[in-house]
């Protein structure tokens, strides 16, 4: 959705966008307003075994969600299958992202994984011709929803990586707002080696890495190290494995100290202006800063700084003069 002329609309647009996102969890077409809905098709002949496997996988909790002190942790929990982003895994991740995401109790989301592989990307068994075109289209539609949701949801999302992230798993890392990784982590887009070019991962990876670095990864499928990923901008920090939890939680804790409404406005504005040319970006950002000052939390932050006290946030979009 486009922000209206007054870029206080960035905040209202973020709210509208989130309303649409919530609609994905409760399929009501009137709430989606332009979001692509996924057509659920009955399994064709020969797909019964696959459907049974998918149902069984759901029972095993493909993702595990916990929340404490404003920090939601979502763990990819299928290490036996290298945390492959199967359709059921993607749907489970989407559900955990959207769960009470409008609550002020939620301030930041951390995505991590069980096992030595963060995620190996799509489950290739789902992508054979036996599953059919409709199923393939559904897989990539849901994957796209999840990846865009990471940036559209109004709280920061941190990837905590301790291992290998390939193909759509690398896309997942690139789509998060922040990525903290261990020094043993590696990243690759190896689809070309199995005959399926990583075109959708390239959308996120190509917006994080320089073009020539991205294309070398896409053309060769060779992994890059955590330190090369940091050098080129795919990740935010590289730390030793024994410091990964500490550093990630420290960043999440700092985010929890801020105003949720100001954070939501800032995140929405960042992604909006990044898609524009320089002059348009400055026009958007300058107006949003003026609008930010009309918020109660905008004024509270400035007054608390002047008065040398801790701010008391409302986390609301109320204006200072109301």
């Amino acid at each position: 959705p486009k922000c209206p002329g007054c870029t206080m609309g960035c905040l209202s647009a973020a709210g509208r966008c989130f309303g649409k996102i919530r609609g994905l969890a409760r399929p009501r077409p009137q709430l989606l307003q332009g979001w692509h809905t996924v057509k659920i098709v009955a399994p064709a002949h020969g797909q019964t075994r696959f459907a049974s496997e998918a149902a069984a996988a759901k029972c095993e909790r493909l993702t595990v969600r916990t929340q404490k002190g404003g920090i939601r942790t979502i763990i990819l929990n299928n290490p036996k299958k290298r945390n492959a982003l199967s359709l059921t895994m993607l749907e489970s991740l989407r559900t955990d992202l959207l769960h009470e995401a409008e609550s002020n109790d939620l301030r930041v989301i951390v995505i991590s994984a069980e096992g030595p592989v963060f995620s190996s990307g799509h489950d290739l068994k789902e992508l054979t011709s036996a599953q059919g075109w409709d199923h393939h289209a559904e897989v990539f539609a849901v994957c796209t929803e999840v990846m865009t949701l990471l940036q559209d949801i109004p709280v920061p999302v941190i990837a905590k990586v301790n291992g290998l992230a390939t193909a759509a798993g690398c896309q997942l890392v690139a789509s998060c707002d922040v990525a903290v990784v261990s020094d043993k982590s590696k990243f690759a887009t190896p689809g070309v080696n199995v005959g399926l070019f990583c075109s959708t991962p390239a959308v996120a990876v190509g917006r994080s890495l320089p073009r020539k670095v991205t294309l070398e990864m896409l053309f060769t499928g060779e992994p890059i190290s955590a330190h090369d990923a940091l050098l080129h901008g795919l990740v935010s920090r590289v730390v030793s494995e024994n410091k990964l939890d500490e550093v990630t939680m420290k960043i999440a804790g700092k985010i929890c100290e801020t105003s949720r409404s100001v954070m939501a406005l800032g995140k929405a504005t960042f992604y909006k202006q990044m898609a524009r040319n320089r002059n348009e970006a400055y026009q958007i950002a300058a107006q949003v800063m003026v609008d930010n000052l009309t918020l109660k939390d905008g004024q509270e932050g400035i007054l608390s700084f002047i008065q040398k006290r801790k701010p008391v946030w409302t986390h609301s979009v109320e204006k200072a003069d109301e």
Side-chain angles (χ1 to χ4, degrees):
K2 295 183 179 179
C3 295
C6 173
T7 54
M8 186 58 186
C10 279
L11 189 54
S12 61
R16 291 196 303 273
C17 181
F18 179 63
K20 297 168 194 174
I21 292 167
R22 289 181 62 198
L24 293 172
R26 298 191 298 268
R28 291 156 56 188
Q30 67 270 26
L31 294 180
L32 298 179
Q33 300 177 8
W35 276 71
H36 293 293
T37 55
V38 176
K39 179 182 179 182
I40 307 299
V41 296
H45 179 69
Q47 293 186 4
T48 306
R49 182 179 62 82
F50 171 78
S52 299
E53 289 176 353
K58 282 185 177 181
C59 295
E60 294 173 2
R61 296 190 68 189
L62 292 177
T63 60
V64 177
R65 181 188 73 244
T66 58
Q67 187 167 320
K68 183 179 180 181
I71 303 171
R72 175 172 300 170
T73 299
I74 302 173
I75 302 172
L76 307 182
N77 190 41
N78 195 10
K80 291 181 180 178
K81 296 195 71 174
R82 296 162 63 88
N83 293 311
L85 296 179
S86 63
L87 180 58
T88 49
M89 172 74 90
L90 288 165
E91 289 173 336
S92 184
L93 177 56
R94 181 177 64 185
T95 297
D96 285 346
L97 288 168
L98 291 171
H99 178 75
E100 296 184 355
E102 74 277 17
S103 171
N104 285 341
D105 292 335
L106 176 63
R107 311 300 304 287
V108 60
I109 297 171
V110 177
I111 300 176
S112 61
E114 282 290 336
V117 177
F118 178 78
S119 175
S120 59
H122 290 293
D123 185 347
L124 294 181
K125 290 182 181 179
E126 290 189 347
L127 304 181
T128 64
S129 57
Q131 307 309 324
W133 185 92
D134 284 340
H135 181 76
H136 298 165
E138 184 179 358
V139 168
F140 289 105
V142 174
C143 184
T144 297
E145 288 174 5
V146 170
M147 299 301 170
T148 54
L149 171 59
L150 294 169
Q151 295 180 356
D152 290 341
I153 200 166
V155 297
V157 182
I158 303 173
K160 183 179 76 172
V161 183
N162 187 30
L164 182 65
T166 66
C170 187
Q171 178 185 3
L172 178 59
V173 176
S175 298
C176 290
D177 303 309
V178 176
V180 183
V181 309
S182 71
D183 52 13
K184 76 175 191 179
S185 299
K186 292 185 178 181
F187 306 88
T189 51
V192 68
N193 295 326
V194 295
L196 182 64
F197 199 87
C198 284
S199 295
T200 46
V203 174
V205 176
R207 282 164 169 75
S208 297
L209 293 173
R211 180 178 300 182
K212 288 180 173 58
V213 176
T214 301
L215 288 172
E216 182 179 342
M217 290 178 67
L218 291 166
F219 292 163
T220 67
E222 289 295 309
I224 63 172
S225 68
H227 289 289
D228 282 343
L230 177 64
L231 174 67
H232 297 303
L234 181 62
V235 305
S236 313
R237 297 211 195 175
V238 177
V239 299
S240 61
E241 186 176 3
N242 63 355
K243 292 283 187 181
L244 184 59
D245 287 341
E246 176 187 339
V247 172
T248 304
M249 289 302 108
K250 184 176 180 180
I251 294 171
K254 288 295 292 182
I255 290 170
C256 288
E257 294 175 5
T258 64
S259 162
R260 177 185 159 108
S261 55
V262 171
M263 186 69 74
L265 176 60
K267 177 175 173 175
T269 304
F270 175 81
Y271 285 112
K272 179 178 175 63
Q273 62 86 18
M274 285 296 288
R276 305 299 180 90
N277 65 45
R278 183 194 63 186
N279 290 348
E280 289 177 345
Y282 268 120
Q283 288 178 347
I284 291 168
Q287 184 60 56
V288 168
M289 291 201 74
V290 172
D291 293 332
N292 192 160
L293 290 170
T294 69
L295 295 177
K296 277 189 175 180
D297 280 358
Q299 288 301 309
E300 167 61 16
I302 292 172
L303 288 174
S304 67
F305 178 81
I306 293 170
Q307 296 168 1
K308 295 181 169 55
R309 60 174 175 81
K310 287 187 176 181
V312 180
W313 305 120
T314 67
H315 304 296
S316 73
V317 295
E318 292 181 61
K319 293 194 174 182
D321 56 359
E322 291 179 352

